[in-house]
Structure formats: structure tokens, C-alpha cells
Amino acid sequence: MTLSAVLLALLLPAQAASLAGVTLSDSAKVGGQSLVLNGIGLREKYMIDVYVAGLYLPAKTTDANKAITSDVPKRIVMHMVRDLSKDQLVDSIREAAGHQKLSAEQKAGIDTVATWMAPVSAGQQVIMDYVPGKGVTVTVAGKSNGYTGGKALMEVLWRIYLGNPPVTADLKKGLLGG
């Protein structure tokens, strides 16, 4: 690569991924570690667009199990394309987590995450971050919360999007780069 090509690459803005009119950054920082956008997908319910999600990991993977179980910093961003009430968010999380066999600790973590939910408007985001040794934190419409749970809670939340069954197969496929 020539020096001019290297300089041009450094001067150009970072590429971003777009879907359904929503653009997500190609990178994020969680727990002091730089992450890359693994994939982007659209969550639809009853043929209505709900949110565009992005999965951020330290390195790209198409392996759902690796994305779920790796004990590394990671993020899921949900950029809303329609307004949702707190109850809709809470019901969605509880319903999706309810398909899994949960320990008492995991149930308590889901309960805590539910208390962090708030109404969101189109254009706002719900961001779930996991930091090894700290746990999971959720930022709703710009309001951050503390950390709860640990790796076990993170796995429950990530299985909502990447497990069997996922919240939707198309969303899982998109988050895994397909």
C-alpha cells in the first residue's frame, strides 16, 4: 500500500453499517476495549419494524455459541425505529428469557434489568454492555445504570438474540454477519 493510500484511509471517516434507515458505527468501546460491529439486524414483530440491533465483539464471528459464551467485553445496541413503553420492553425481555431454564441468580438479574427499562422513542437506543468481572449494564435512552449479574446473566440476555430459539431468526442471522 502506498503512503498516499494509507493517509487517505486514515483521513476518511470510519465506515458504518445501515439498515432500515438506521446507521450504526463500525466500532464501540466497552470496558476499555475496542469492539467491532459483528453484524446488524432488524427486529420485526407482526411485520412491524421495532428496532435495528447491532452486535459488537472484540473480533468478528459467525459462531453464535462463541458470541454468547466468550467471557469478553461485548455490546448489543437496539436503535428504536418506533416508540415502545416500559411495559413493552419489560414484557419482551421476560418473554424471551422465559424460553430458557434460569437459575435464581439469573431470574434476579432479569428482574434488575427490568427495573432499568423506561419508555423509549423512535431514534433512541437501549444498549446492553457486558464487562467481565463487572457484569451487565443497560443504558436506556441515554440513562446508564449500574452493573448487575455476571457472565451467567449476560449469557441469558445474549441468548435472547443469538440462542435457540432467538427472538427472530432473521435478527440472529444479521447479528452474526449473515
Side-chain angles (χ1 to χ4, degrees):
M1 184 179 271
T2 67
L3 179 58
S4 60
V6 170
L7 290 174
L8 181 62
L10 291 173
L11 294 174
L12 290 175
Q15 295 296 311
S18 295
L19 180 64
V22 174
T23 301
L24 297 179
S25 174
D26 273 348
S27 63
K29 193 165 249 183
V30 173
Q33 183 168 348
S34 294
L35 306 178
V36 297
L37 181 63
N38 193 77
I40 185 171
L42 178 64
R43 168 65 164 117
E44 295 177 304
K45 189 166 185 175
Y46 307 119
M47 300 187 322
I48 297 170
D49 294 353
V50 179
Y51 57 79
V52 172
L55 172 64
Y56 292 86
L57 300 168
K60 289 190 175 200
T61 185
T62 58
D63 182 341
N65 191 55
K66 181 177 179 182
I68 293 167
T69 62
S70 294
D71 195 18
V72 297
K74 54 183 94 173
R75 169 176 284 177
I76 292 178
V77 172
M78 292 164 280
H79 184 99
M80 301 300 145
V81 295
R82 65 182 304 260
D83 298 349
L84 294 177
S85 69
K86 175 180 179 168
D87 287 344
Q88 287 173 308
L89 289 170
V90 170
D91 290 349
S92 178
I93 289 170
R94 288 192 191 283
E95 178 184 341
H99 294 290
Q100 304 175 48
K101 185 175 180 181
L102 304 178
S103 69
E105 177 187 347
Q106 290 167 323
K107 287 178 186 175
I110 292 294
D111 289 344
T112 298
V113 169
T115 67
W116 292 343
M117 292 299 128
V120 290
S121 300
Q124 293 182 317
Q125 296 181 336
V126 175
I127 302 170
M128 293 188 295
D129 288 337
Y130 170 71
V131 178
K134 282 186 144 183
V136 174
T137 187
V138 180
T139 303
V140 180
K143 182 181 180 226
S144 296
N145 295 282
Y147 285 88
T148 191
K151 185 175 186 285
L153 175 61
M154 174 274 295
E155 289 182 2
V156 168
L157 293 170
W158 264 245
R159 276 191 183 91
I160 290 171
Y161 307 95
L162 303 171
N164 290 315
V167 68
T168 70
D170 286 343
L171 178 60
K172 176 181 177 176
K173 181 178 176 183
L175 293 175
L176 292 173

